[in-house]
Amino acid sequence: MKSELLFMKQEDVIAAGVLDMKKILELVEKVFYLQGHGQIINPPKTVFGIPIGEEPQSHFFSMPVYIGGDINRPGTKWAAESRANAKIGNLPMGIDMVILSDPVTVQPVAIMDGMVITAMRTAAAAGVAAKYLAPKDAQVAGCVGAGVIGRTMIMALREVAPSLKQIKLCDLNLEKAQNLANEFKDEIEVIPTNSVEEAVTGADIVATMTTSKKPFVKSDWIKKGSMIIQMSSCEVEGGVVEKTEKIVVDSWDQMKENDLSIINQMVQQGKIAEADIWSLSDIVCGNKPGRENNDEITMFSSRGMGAHDIIIGDYLYKEAVKKGLGQKLTLWDEALWV
């Protein structure tokens, strides 16, 4: 029996609707809902760096997933990051693929570019968190990092916090922040800066999207009643975490495998209790409260869940079939051994 699958290049993924942030937010929130009802298998990602025995120049991540409920889709994300790409600038730092399989025959049904999916779902997870944890009348966001996730974070925050009037956007490369500000000039006021303190101080929502290995957001800059979004492992100092009244993560099972995580480090040091770390799925499902008053400081920290990539990939695959996008590939004409 012939085995065929659909290959979707990045242009096909875009044509299928991956840039629709409103839809991506809906899909990502559904994952948290299904996770809270025991319908997600999302084991901790496996990670390795190469070359062996040296400072890693490239990292590879495998993220197998099963989404139950009405989705019923197994799949995996294969992700990779290159420091050389980031330095030279002729290729993206992160290059990802999403693979979907049939739940019964286990044949692959689709392989697609996962780079834009990653960018969209990463910010969408923060967006879902902001829906439940951000101040309801947030006016100013302070964003640190004008890279790919900086762009999609602005997209997500504008959807979930329509009261936003201004975004202070910080990047060490001021020109990069200015260029991104220009992209959104007709949608919202974006003020570029290369000062983290300037971007963060007084912000109702603080979002960090960097590759920093050292914390740089100080607790003195965080105002009462704000929300902090940390998309990397250790962008905020421990004092920021201690100042927070609700610590929420996408997946504690994922995060506690990450030695660089400031939250994991503080749990190991006994500075915060593991029981005080909530899963966003519990809030989405109504088992835990979201923001309860105007004065509390809330925090969301993300490790990244492959389930978000797979639910988006499943949606895009079905849209591609409807629209006649992608290219059919043959895995085999007749299996050699059955």
Side-chain angles (χ1 to χ4, degrees), residues 178-242:
Q178 182 64 66
N179 290 339
L180 191 52
N182 290 339
E183 284 189 33
F184 290 91
K185 65 181 180 180
D186 296 329
E187 301 171 40
I188 190 170
E189 182 185 20
V190 180
I191 301 174
T193 177
N194 56 9
S195 166
V196 176
E197 183 176 2
E198 183 179 329
V200 169
T201 302
D204 300 304
I205 301 173
V206 174
T208 56
M209 298 77 58
T210 75
T211 58
S212 177
K213 297 295 188 292
K214 295 180 180 179
F216 55 81
V217 175
K218 300 183 182 300
S219 62
D220 291 346
W221 302 341
I222 303 299
K223 79 170 191 176
K224 185 167 66 172
S226 62
M227 178 191 182
I228 303 115
I229 297 169
Q230 177 181 249
M231 300 310 295
S232 190
S233 302
C234 57
E235 295 162 310
V236 304
E237 293 183 347
V240 175
V241 182
E242 291 173 338

Short mmCIF file of all heavy atoms in Angstrom, two decimals, residues 178-242:
data_model
loop_
_atom_site.label_atom_id
_atom_site.label_comp_id
_atom_site.label_asym_id
_atom_site.label_seq_id
_atom_site.Cartn_x
_atom_site.Cartn_y
_atom_site.Cartn_z
N GLN A 178 14.28 50.04 16.68
CA GLN A 178 13.67 51.08 15.85
C GLN A 178 12.97 50.46 14.63
O GLN A 178 11.86 50.86 14.27
CB GLN A 178 14.72 52.08 15.38
CG GLN A 178 14.16 53.23 14.54
CD GLN A 178 13.21 54.11 15.32
OE1 GLN A 178 13.62 54.80 16.26
NE2 GLN A 178 11.93 54.09 14.96
N ASN A 179 13.62 49.48 14.01
CA ASN A 179 13.03 48.83 12.84
C ASN A 179 11.74 48.12 13.19
O ASN A 179 10.76 48.16 12.43
CB ASN A 179 14.03 47.84 12.23
CG ASN A 179 15.21 48.53 11.57
OD1 ASN A 179 15.13 49.71 11.21
ND2 ASN A 179 16.31 47.80 11.40
N LEU A 180 11.72 47.45 14.35
CA LEU A 180 10.51 46.75 14.76
C LEU A 180 9.42 47.75 15.13
O LEU A 180 8.24 47.53 14.84
CB LEU A 180 10.81 45.81 15.93
CG LEU A 180 9.71 44.82 16.31
CD1 LEU A 180 9.23 44.03 15.10
CD2 LEU A 180 10.20 43.87 17.41
N ALA A 181 9.82 48.85 15.74
CA ALA A 181 8.85 49.90 16.06
C ALA A 181 8.20 50.43 14.79
O ALA A 181 6.99 50.68 14.76
CB ALA A 181 9.55 51.03 16.82
N ASN A 182 8.98 50.54 13.74
CA ASN A 182 8.45 51.04 12.46
C ASN A 182 7.41 50.08 11.87
O ASN A 182 6.47 50.52 11.20
CB ASN A 182 9.58 51.27 11.46
CG ASN A 182 10.45 52.45 11.84
OD1 ASN A 182 10.03 53.33 12.59
ND2 ASN A 182 11.68 52.47 11.34
N GLU A 183 7.60 48.79 12.11
CA GLU A 183 6.65 47.80 11.60
C GLU A 183 5.25 48.00 12.18
O GLU A 183 4.25 47.71 11.52
CB GLU A 183 7.12 46.38 11.92
CG GLU A 183 8.25 45.86 11.06
CD GLU A 183 8.50 44.38 11.28
OE1 GLU A 183 7.52 43.64 11.57
OE2 GLU A 183 9.67 43.96 11.19
N PHE A 184 5.19 48.48 13.41
CA PHE A 184 3.90 48.61 14.10
C PHE A 184 3.44 50.07 14.23
O PHE A 184 2.50 50.35 14.96
CB PHE A 184 4.00 47.97 15.49
CG PHE A 184 4.11 46.48 15.48
CD1 PHE A 184 5.35 45.86 15.45
CD2 PHE A 184 2.97 45.69 15.47
CE1 PHE A 184 5.45 44.48 15.44
CE2 PHE A 184 3.06 44.31 15.45
CZ PHE A 184 4.31 43.70 15.42
N LYS A 185 4.07 50.99 13.50
CA LYS A 185 3.80 52.42 13.69
C LYS A 185 2.35 52.79 13.40
O LYS A 185 1.83 53.77 13.96
CB LYS A 185 4.75 53.25 12.84
CG LYS A 185 4.58 53.08 11.34
CD LYS A 185 5.59 53.93 10.59
CE LYS A 185 5.43 53.75 9.07
NZ LYS A 185 6.40 54.56 8.32
N ASP A 186 1.68 52.03 12.54
CA ASP A 186 0.29 52.34 12.22
C ASP A 186 -0.71 51.63 13.14
O ASP A 186 -1.92 51.80 12.98
CB ASP A 186 -0.02 51.97 10.76
CG ASP A 186 0.78 52.79 9.77
OD1 ASP A 186 1.08 53.96 10.09
OD2 ASP A 186 1.14 52.26 8.70
N GLU A 187 -0.18 50.82 14.09
CA GLU A 187 -1.05 50.02 14.94
C GLU A 187 -1.00 50.44 16.41
O GLU A 187 -2.01 50.44 17.10
CB GLU A 187 -0.69 48.54 14.80
CG GLU A 187 -0.81 48.02 13.38
CD GLU A 187 -0.25 46.62 13.22
OE1 GLU A 187 -0.48 45.80 14.13
OE2 GLU A 187 0.42 46.35 12.21
N ILE A 188 0.20 50.75 16.89
CA ILE A 188 0.36 51.14 18.30
C ILE A 188 1.66 51.91 18.43
O ILE A 188 2.61 51.70 17.66
CB ILE A 188 0.36 49.89 19.22
CG1 ILE A 188 0.28 50.31 20.70
CG2 ILE A 188 1.57 49.01 18.95
CD1 ILE A 188 0.04 49.14 21.66
N GLU A 189 1.73 52.80 19.41
CA GLU A 189 2.96 53.56 19.65
C GLU A 189 4.02 52.64 20.26
O GLU A 189 3.81 52.07 21.33
CB GLU A 189 2.70 54.73 20.59
CG GLU A 189 3.95 55.58 20.84
CD GLU A 189 3.74 56.67 21.87
OE1 GLU A 189 2.78 56.56 22.67
OE2 GLU A 189 4.55 57.62 21.89
N VAL A 190 5.15 52.50 19.58
CA VAL A 190 6.26 51.69 20.08
C VAL A 190 7.47 52.62 20.21
O VAL A 190 7.90 53.22 19.23
CB VAL A 190 6.59 50.52 19.14
CG1 VAL A 190 7.76 49.71 19.69
CG2 VAL A 190 5.37 49.62 18.95
N ILE A 191 7.98 52.73 21.43
CA ILE A 191 9.11 53.61 21.71
C ILE A 191 10.38 52.78 21.85
O ILE A 191 10.52 52.01 22.81
CB ILE A 191 8.87 54.42 22.99
CG1 ILE A 191 7.60 55.26 22.85
CG2 ILE A 191 10.08 55.30 23.30
CD1 ILE A 191 7.22 55.98 24.12
N PRO A 192 11.33 52.89 20.91
CA PRO A 192 12.56 52.11 21.00
C PRO A 192 13.54 52.69 22.02
O PRO A 192 13.62 53.92 22.20
CB PRO A 192 13.14 52.20 19.57
CG PRO A 192 12.58 53.46 19.02
CD PRO A 192 11.26 53.68 19.68
N THR A 193 14.26 51.82 22.70
CA THR A 193 15.27 52.24 23.67
C THR A 193 16.31 51.13 23.79
O THR A 193 16.04 49.98 23.43
CB THR A 193 14.64 52.52 25.04
OG1 THR A 193 15.66 52.87 25.97
CG2 THR A 193 13.89 51.31 25.57
N ASN A 194 17.49 51.47 24.30
CA ASN A 194 18.47 50.42 24.61
C ASN A 194 18.71 50.34 26.12
O ASN A 194 19.70 49.76 26.57
CB ASN A 194 19.78 50.64 23.85
CG ASN A 194 20.39 52.01 24.11
OD1 ASN A 194 19.92 52.75 24.97
ND2 ASN A 194 21.43 52.36 23.36
N SER A 195 17.77 50.89 26.90
CA SER A 195 17.85 50.84 28.35
C SER A 195 16.76 49.94 28.90
O SER A 195 15.56 50.22 28.76
CB SER A 195 17.68 52.25 28.94
OG SER A 195 17.45 52.19 30.33
N VAL A 196 17.16 48.84 29.54
CA VAL A 196 16.19 47.92 30.14
C VAL A 196 15.39 48.64 31.22
O VAL A 196 14.17 48.49 31.31
CB VAL A 196 16.90 46.67 30.72
CG1 VAL A 196 15.88 45.77 31.42
CG2 VAL A 196 17.61 45.90 29.63
N GLU A 197 16.08 49.41 32.06
CA GLU A 197 15.40 50.12 33.14
C GLU A 197 14.33 51.05 32.59
O GLU A 197 13.22 51.12 33.12
CB GLU A 197 16.41 50.91 33.96
CG GLU A 197 15.80 51.63 35.14
CD GLU A 197 16.81 52.35 36.01
OE1 GLU A 197 18.01 52.33 35.67
OE2 GLU A 197 16.40 52.93 37.04
N GLU A 198 14.65 51.74 31.52
CA GLU A 198 13.69 52.67 30.92
C GLU A 198 12.47 51.93 30.38
O GLU A 198 11.33 52.39 30.50
CB GLU A 198 14.37 53.45 29.79
CG GLU A 198 13.50 54.49 29.13
CD GLU A 198 14.24 55.24 28.03
OE1 GLU A 198 15.46 55.40 28.14
OE2 GLU A 198 13.57 55.65 27.06
N ALA A 199 12.71 50.76 29.79
CA ALA A 199 11.60 49.99 29.21
C ALA A 199 10.70 49.38 30.29
O ALA A 199 9.47 49.36 30.15
CB ALA A 199 12.15 48.88 28.32
N VAL A 200 11.30 48.91 31.37
CA VAL A 200 10.57 48.14 32.38
C VAL A 200 9.88 49.03 33.41
O VAL A 200 8.74 48.75 33.82
CB VAL A 200 11.53 47.15 33.07
CG1 VAL A 200 10.88 46.52 34.30
CG2 VAL A 200 11.98 46.07 32.09
N THR A 201 10.55 50.10 33.84
CA THR A 201 10.03 50.94 34.92
C THR A 201 8.67 51.54 34.54
O THR A 201 8.52 52.16 33.50
CB THR A 201 11.02 52.07 35.25
OG1 THR A 201 12.28 51.50 35.63
CG2 THR A 201 10.49 52.93 36.39
N GLY A 202 7.70 51.32 35.42
CA GLY A 202 6.37 51.89 35.22
C GLY A 202 5.47 51.10 34.29
O GLY A 202 4.31 51.48 34.09
N ALA A 203 5.96 49.99 33.73
CA ALA A 203 5.15 49.21 32.78
C ALA A 203 4.11 48.36 33.51
O ALA A 203 4.38 47.80 34.57
CB ALA A 203 6.05 48.32 31.93
N ASP A 204 2.93 48.27 32.94
CA ASP A 204 1.88 47.41 33.48
C ASP A 204 2.14 45.94 33.15
O ASP A 204 1.79 45.05 33.92
CB ASP A 204 0.52 47.82 32.90
CG ASP A 204 0.17 49.26 33.22
OD1 ASP A 204 0.15 49.60 34.41
OD2 ASP A 204 -0.07 50.04 32.28
N ILE A 205 2.72 45.71 31.98
CA ILE A 205 3.13 44.36 31.57
C ILE A 205 4.59 44.43 31.18
O ILE A 205 5.00 45.27 30.36
CB ILE A 205 2.30 43.86 30.37
CG1 ILE A 205 0.81 43.82 30.71
CG2 ILE A 205 2.78 42.47 29.94
CD1 ILE A 205 -0.07 43.50 29.51
N VAL A 206 5.40 43.57 31.77
CA VAL A 206 6.83 43.47 31.43
C VAL A 206 7.05 42.14 30.74
O VAL A 206 6.67 41.09 31.27
CB VAL A 206 7.71 43.57 32.70
CG1 VAL A 206 9.17 43.32 32.35
CG2 VAL A 206 7.54 44.92 33.38
N ALA A 207 7.63 42.14 29.55
CA ALA A 207 7.88 40.91 28.81
C ALA A 207 9.33 40.87 28.34
O ALA A 207 9.80 41.82 27.71
CB ALA A 207 6.93 40.79 27.62
N THR A 208 10.02 39.78 28.65
CA THR A 208 11.42 39.63 28.25
C THR A 208 11.54 38.46 27.27
O THR A 208 11.06 37.37 27.53
CB THR A 208 12.32 39.38 29.47
OG1 THR A 208 11.85 38.23 30.20
CG2 THR A 208 12.32 40.58 30.40
N MET A 209 12.18 38.73 26.15
CA MET A 209 12.33 37.74 25.08
C MET A 209 13.76 37.77 24.57
O MET A 209 14.05 38.26 23.49
CB MET A 209 11.38 38.04 23.91
CG MET A 209 9.90 38.00 24.24
SD MET A 209 9.29 39.45 25.12
CE MET A 209 9.69 40.79 24.03
N THR A 210 14.71 37.29 25.37
CA THR A 210 16.12 37.38 25.01
C THR A 210 16.79 36.01 25.12
O THR A 210 16.17 35.03 25.53
CB THR A 210 16.87 38.36 25.94
OG1 THR A 210 17.07 37.75 27.23
CG2 THR A 210 16.09 39.66 26.11
N THR A 211 18.06 35.97 24.77
CA THR A 211 18.86 34.75 24.93
C THR A 211 19.85 34.90 26.08
O THR A 211 20.82 34.15 26.18
CB THR A 211 19.62 34.43 23.63
OG1 THR A 211 20.46 35.55 23.28
CG2 THR A 211 18.66 34.12 22.49
N SER A 212 19.61 35.86 26.96
CA SER A 212 20.54 36.15 28.05
C SER A 212 20.69 34.95 28.99
O SER A 212 19.72 34.26 29.30
CB SER A 212 20.05 37.35 28.85
OG SER A 212 20.90 37.59 29.95
N LYS A 213 21.89 34.72 29.43
CA LYS A 213 22.17 33.67 30.42
C LYS A 213 22.31 34.26 31.83
O LYS A 213 22.58 33.54 32.77
CB LYS A 213 23.45 32.93 30.04
CG LYS A 213 23.38 32.19 28.71
CD LYS A 213 22.37 31.07 28.74
CE LYS A 213 22.41 30.21 27.49
NZ LYS A 213 21.96 30.90 26.28
N LYS A 214 22.16 35.59 31.94
CA LYS A 214 22.26 36.25 33.23
C LYS A 214 21.03 37.13 33.44
O LYS A 214 20.58 37.78 32.51
CB LYS A 214 23.52 37.11 33.31
CG LYS A 214 24.83 36.32 33.24
CD LYS A 214 26.03 37.24 33.32
CE LYS A 214 27.33 36.45 33.26
NZ LYS A 214 28.52 37.35 33.31
N PRO A 215 20.48 37.17 34.68
CA PRO A 215 19.32 38.02 34.94
C PRO A 215 19.66 39.50 34.82
O PRO A 215 20.77 39.92 35.16
CB PRO A 215 18.93 37.64 36.37
CG PRO A 215 20.17 37.06 36.98
CD PRO A 215 20.92 36.41 35.86
N PHE A 216 18.69 40.28 34.35
CA PHE A 216 18.94 41.71 34.16
C PHE A 216 17.76 42.59 34.57
O PHE A 216 17.88 43.81 34.57
CB PHE A 216 19.32 42.00 32.71
CG PHE A 216 18.32 41.51 31.69
CD1 PHE A 216 17.18 42.22 31.40
CD2 PHE A 216 18.54 40.30 31.03
CE1 PHE A 216 16.26 41.77 30.47
CE2 PHE A 216 17.63 39.84 30.08
CZ PHE A 216 16.48 40.57 29.82
N VAL A 217 16.62 42.00 34.92
CA VAL A 217 15.47 42.80 35.37
C VAL A 217 15.48 42.84 36.89
O VAL A 217 15.42 41.80 37.55
CB VAL A 217 14.15 42.20 34.85
CG1 VAL A 217 12.96 42.98 35.43
CG2 VAL A 217 14.10 42.22 33.34
N LYS A 218 15.54 44.05 37.44
CA LYS A 218 15.65 44.23 38.89
C LYS A 218 14.26 44.43 39.51
O LYS A 218 13.37 45.02 38.90
CB LYS A 218 16.55 45.42 39.20
CG LYS A 218 17.97 45.26 38.67
CD LYS A 218 18.84 46.44 39.05
CE LYS A 218 20.24 46.29 38.48
NZ LYS A 218 20.92 45.08 38.95
N SER A 219 14.12 43.97 40.74
CA SER A 219 12.83 44.04 41.42
C SER A 219 12.38 45.49 41.66
O SER A 219 11.18 45.78 41.68
CB SER A 219 12.87 43.28 42.74
OG SER A 219 13.82 43.85 43.62
N ASP A 220 13.33 46.40 41.83
CA ASP A 220 12.98 47.81 42.07
C ASP A 220 12.25 48.43 40.89
O ASP A 220 11.57 49.45 41.05
CB ASP A 220 14.25 48.63 42.36
CG ASP A 220 14.89 48.28 43.69
OD1 ASP A 220 14.22 47.61 44.50
OD2 ASP A 220 16.05 48.67 43.92
N TRP A 221 12.39 47.85 39.71
CA TRP A 221 11.77 48.41 38.51
C TRP A 221 10.32 47.93 38.34
O TRP A 221 9.60 48.47 37.51
CB TRP A 221 12.57 48.02 37.26
CG TRP A 221 14.00 48.46 37.28
CD1 TRP A 221 14.55 49.43 38.06
CD2 TRP A 221 15.06 47.94 36.48
NE1 TRP A 221 15.90 49.55 37.80
CE2 TRP A 221 16.24 48.64 36.83
CE3 TRP A 221 15.14 46.95 35.50
CZ2 TRP A 221 17.47 48.38 36.23
CZ3 TRP A 221 16.36 46.70 34.90
CH2 TRP A 221 17.51 47.40 35.26
N ILE A 222 9.95 46.90 39.09
CA ILE A 222 8.62 46.30 38.92
C ILE A 222 7.61 47.02 39.80
O ILE A 222 7.75 47.08 41.02
CB ILE A 222 8.65 44.80 39.29
CG1 ILE A 222 9.70 44.06 38.45
CG2 ILE A 222 7.28 44.18 39.13
CD1 ILE A 222 9.46 44.10 36.97
N LYS A 223 6.58 47.57 39.17
CA LYS A 223 5.60 48.32 39.95
C LYS A 223 4.48 47.41 40.48
O LYS A 223 4.23 46.33 39.95
CB LYS A 223 5.02 49.46 39.11
CG LYS A 223 3.97 49.07 38.12
CD LYS A 223 3.32 50.32 37.54
CE LYS A 223 2.08 50.00 36.73
NZ LYS A 223 1.39 51.21 36.26
N LYS A 224 3.83 47.88 41.51
CA LYS A 224 2.71 47.15 42.10
C LYS A 224 1.60 47.00 41.07
O LYS A 224 1.29 47.92 40.31
CB LYS A 224 2.19 47.91 43.32
CG LYS A 224 1.09 47.18 44.09
CD LYS A 224 0.86 47.81 45.44
CE LYS A 224 0.29 49.20 45.33
NZ LYS A 224 -0.11 49.74 46.67
N GLY A 225 1.01 45.80 41.03
CA GLY A 225 -0.11 45.55 40.13
C GLY A 225 0.27 45.18 38.72
O GLY A 225 -0.60 45.10 37.85
N SER A 226 1.54 44.91 38.48
CA SER A 226 1.98 44.59 37.12
C SER A 226 2.06 43.08 36.89
O SER A 226 1.91 42.29 37.81
CB SER A 226 3.36 45.22 36.84
OG SER A 226 4.33 44.68 37.72
N MET A 227 2.27 42.71 35.63
CA MET A 227 2.51 41.32 35.26
C MET A 227 3.87 41.21 34.61
O MET A 227 4.24 42.04 33.76
CB MET A 227 1.44 40.81 34.28
CG MET A 227 1.68 39.37 33.83
SD MET A 227 0.62 38.86 32.46
CE MET A 227 1.18 37.15 32.27
N ILE A 228 4.61 40.17 34.99
CA ILE A 228 5.92 39.90 34.38
C ILE A 228 5.81 38.65 33.53
O ILE A 228 5.28 37.62 33.97
CB ILE A 228 7.02 39.70 35.44
CG1 ILE A 228 7.11 40.91 36.36
CG2 ILE A 228 8.35 39.42 34.79
CD1 ILE A 228 6.73 40.62 37.76
N ILE A 229 6.29 38.74 32.29
CA ILE A 229 6.35 37.60 31.39
C ILE A 229 7.82 37.32 31.10
O ILE A 229 8.52 38.17 30.55
CB ILE A 229 5.60 37.88 30.07
CG1 ILE A 229 4.11 38.11 30.33
CG2 ILE A 229 5.81 36.74 29.08
CD1 ILE A 229 3.35 38.66 29.13
N GLN A 230 8.30 36.14 31.48
CA GLN A 230 9.69 35.76 31.22
C GLN A 230 9.69 34.60 30.23
O GLN A 230 9.25 33.50 30.56
CB GLN A 230 10.40 35.34 32.52
CG GLN A 230 11.83 34.87 32.28
CD GLN A 230 12.54 34.45 33.56
OE1 GLN A 230 13.45 35.09 34.03
NE2 GLN A 230 12.11 33.32 34.12
N MET A 231 10.19 34.85 29.02
CA MET A 231 10.16 33.82 27.99
C MET A 231 11.43 32.98 27.94
O MET A 231 11.45 31.93 27.32
CB MET A 231 9.90 34.45 26.62
CG MET A 231 8.58 35.20 26.53
SD MET A 231 7.15 34.25 27.12
CE MET A 231 7.09 32.94 25.91
N SER A 232 12.51 33.45 28.56
CA SER A 232 13.72 32.66 28.64
C SER A 232 13.85 32.11 30.05
O SER A 232 12.88 32.10 30.82
CB SER A 232 14.94 33.50 28.24
OG SER A 232 16.09 32.70 28.08
N SER A 233 15.02 31.67 30.43
CA SER A 233 15.17 30.96 31.70
C SER A 233 15.44 31.86 32.89
O SER A 233 14.92 31.63 33.98
CB SER A 233 16.32 29.94 31.58
OG SER A 233 16.07 29.03 30.54
N CYS A 234 16.28 32.88 32.70
CA CYS A 234 16.75 33.63 33.87
C CYS A 234 16.93 35.11 33.53
O CYS A 234 17.99 35.68 33.77
CB CYS A 234 18.06 33.04 34.39
SG CYS A 234 19.38 33.00 33.15
N GLU A 235 15.90 35.72 33.00
CA GLU A 235 16.01 37.13 32.63
C GLU A 235 15.69 38.05 33.80
O GLU A 235 16.10 39.21 33.81
CB GLU A 235 15.08 37.42 31.46
CG GLU A 235 15.49 36.68 30.18
CD GLU A 235 14.37 36.60 29.16
OE1 GLU A 235 13.26 36.20 29.53
OE2 GLU A 235 14.62 36.96 28.00
N VAL A 236 14.95 37.56 34.79
CA VAL A 236 14.63 38.37 35.97
C VAL A 236 15.46 37.90 37.16
O VAL A 236 15.79 36.72 37.28
CB VAL A 236 13.12 38.30 36.32
CG1 VAL A 236 12.29 38.72 35.12
CG2 VAL A 236 12.71 36.92 36.82
N GLU A 237 15.81 38.85 38.03
CA GLU A 237 16.54 38.50 39.24
C GLU A 237 15.63 37.79 40.24
O GLU A 237 14.40 37.90 40.16
CB GLU A 237 17.12 39.77 39.88
CG GLU A 237 18.20 40.43 39.02
CD GLU A 237 18.83 41.64 39.70
OE1 GLU A 237 18.25 42.12 40.71
OE2 GLU A 237 19.86 42.09 39.21
N GLY A 238 16.24 37.09 41.18
CA GLY A 238 15.47 36.35 42.17
C GLY A 238 14.52 37.23 42.95
O GLY A 238 13.43 36.81 43.34
N GLY A 239 14.90 38.48 43.16
CA GLY A 239 14.05 39.40 43.89
C GLY A 239 12.74 39.67 43.20
O GLY A 239 11.72 39.94 43.86
N VAL A 240 12.73 39.60 41.87
CA VAL A 240 11.49 39.77 41.11
C VAL A 240 10.55 38.62 41.40
O VAL A 240 9.35 38.81 41.63
CB VAL A 240 11.78 39.87 39.60
CG1 VAL A 240 10.48 39.93 38.80
CG2 VAL A 240 12.64 41.10 39.30
N VAL A 241 11.09 37.40 41.41
CA VAL A 241 10.27 36.21 41.69
C VAL A 241 9.72 36.28 43.11
O VAL A 241 8.54 35.99 43.35
CB VAL A 241 11.09 34.92 41.48
CG1 VAL A 241 10.22 33.69 41.73
CG2 VAL A 241 11.69 34.88 40.08
N GLU A 242 10.56 36.69 44.06
CA GLU A 242 10.13 36.77 45.46
C GLU A 242 9.04 37.83 45.65
O GLU A 242 8.20 37.72 46.54
CB GLU A 242 11.33 37.08 46.35
CG GLU A 242 12.32 35.92 46.43
CD GLU A 242 13.60 36.28 47.18
OE1 GLU A 242 13.91 37.49 47.26
OE2 GLU A 242 14.28 35.37 47.67
#
